[in-house]
Amino acid sequence: MKKLTINTVVISFLLAGFQLDFQSSVNAAEAEGVLSNTPMPWAYAINTPDIDVPFAFNVPRTVPDSELEFVFTNPRNLYQPPDWHPQDHPLMPEIVASGREPAVFACAYCHLPNGQGRPENASIAGLPQAYIIQQMADWRAGLRRSSEPLHGPASAMQAIGFNATEDEVAIAAAYFSSLVPRKWIRVVETDTVPETVVAGWMYIEADGGSNEAIGNRILEMPEDLELTELRDDHSGFIAYVPVGSIARGEQLVRSASDAVCTSCHGEDLRGLGPVPPLAGRSPSYIARALFDLQEGNRRGLWSPLMEDAVKDLSTSDMLAIAAYLASLEP
């Protein structure tokens, strides 16, 4: 068994010529009781103050289906994420595997070596290379930002978009576009869900919590929190959605009156040319994307194509669409 050590790093980065420590600024805002700035706080998970996931440091760690063993001094190492299953994917380029300190985090830290990502970011496995490159150009140009200023992962992407070179973007885009997406999210319709807190920009079950009504929200959580914290890209997510939302979402997406979704994203919703696939993607991400487009916070080259599609959507519509799309095979 091969043993590797994940070293401690300082979580900071450069944006537009000055150092931005988004974690400390967000923590300060949370301590002051700042609430979500969007009508869909479930899609823009903001860390609960003074909550962290217990983690065993400086001891050998393993995960199922891997012969590797890692020793972590800090699980939040943004430049040296573990690659538990290197046989699953092509050799990761340096910018994907390790980033470029201090300005560009390793792509694989947030999006994972298999590109499937987590609820707080995006699944980019199998996205068209041209689409990935354009989105990075939009981040760099300030044409893409989050509708929730406290959503730290979006702040990180703004910084990475600003600092990554065109060559680095092209190399990373080629890698992730070559990957084949797989079923990553299990969608479950339910009336009740576990009580939760947010840690690492992700919903987790509260200690000693009971169940509560799901209400008008989607709750996307790890299937296995320990494996998710270990960055095991064989361990996916479960998305709890309100009863009936999948069928309602299908009706909205496949409306016979305009079929705007399928005309661009394909009848199977797996993309057409440079237009990205929607099937099987994170419902939290899909909801954020729809709301950001509606609010004018995504104004990139291809964003005008979505203006008519999103302008009349309610937040309940966005929830249903996100639930339906997540339920599909990628």
Side-chain angles (χ1 to χ4, degrees), residues 21-34 49 150:
D21 184 348
F22 78 85
Q23 186 64 64
S24 63
S25 63
V26 169
N27 286 347
E30 291 169 348
E32 294 173 3
V34 176
L150 296 182

Side-chain angles (χ1 to χ4, degrees), residues 249-259 261-262 266-269 324 328:
E250 182 177 15
Q251 183 179 22
L252 288 165
V253 168
R254 300 190 177 278
S255 169
S257 61
D258 45 37
C261 298
T262 55
E267 185 62 30
D268 59 3
L269 297 166
Y324 168 63
L328 300 176

Side-chain angles (χ1 to χ4, degrees), residues 218-291:
I218 292 174
L219 193 60
E220 194 172 351
M221 304 174 63
E223 290 274 19
D224 186 309
L225 178 58
E226 182 178 11
L227 293 181
T228 294
E229 284 297 289
L230 287 170
R231 247 58 190 183
D232 178 9
D233 60 2
H234 276 192
S235 186
F237 294 83
I238 182 170
Y240 296 107
V241 304
V243 174
S245 56
I246 295 176
R248 182 165 179 267
E250 182 177 15
Q251 183 179 22
L252 288 165
V253 168
R254 300 190 177 278
S255 169
S257 61
D258 45 37
V260 291
C261 298
T262 55
S263 62
C264 288
H265 294 277
E267 185 62 30
D268 59 3
L269 297 166
R270 292 177 180 158
L272 283 174
V275 180
L278 303 177
R281 300 191 71 186
S282 161
S284 302
Y285 172 80
I286 290 291
R288 289 195 301 271
L290 293 172
F291 188 74

Side-chain angles (χ1 to χ4, degrees), residues 90-171:
L91 180 66
M92 286 192 289
E94 186 69 17
I95 194 65
V96 174
S98 303
R100 175 169 52 81
E101 294 191 55
V104 182
F105 303 157
C107 307
Y109 176 80
C110 293
H111 299 287
L112 305 180
N114 67 358
Q116 296 284 166
R118 293 162 39 117
E120 74 273 14
N121 52 68
S123 173
I124 55 178
L127 289 182
Q129 184 176 359
Y131 177 81
I132 296 174
I133 291 172
Q134 183 59 52
Q135 295 311 300
M136 293 301 294
D138 291 349
W139 284 113
R140 172 183 286 274
L143 298 175
R144 180 171 174 175
R145 60 188 177 89
S146 176
S147 300
E148 172 50 79
L150 296 182
H151 193 237
S155 298
M157 278 307 303
Q158 283 183 296
I160 293 168
F162 182 83
N163 286 294
T165 68
E166 290 185 2
D167 284 346
E168 288 169 339
V169 169
I171 290 168

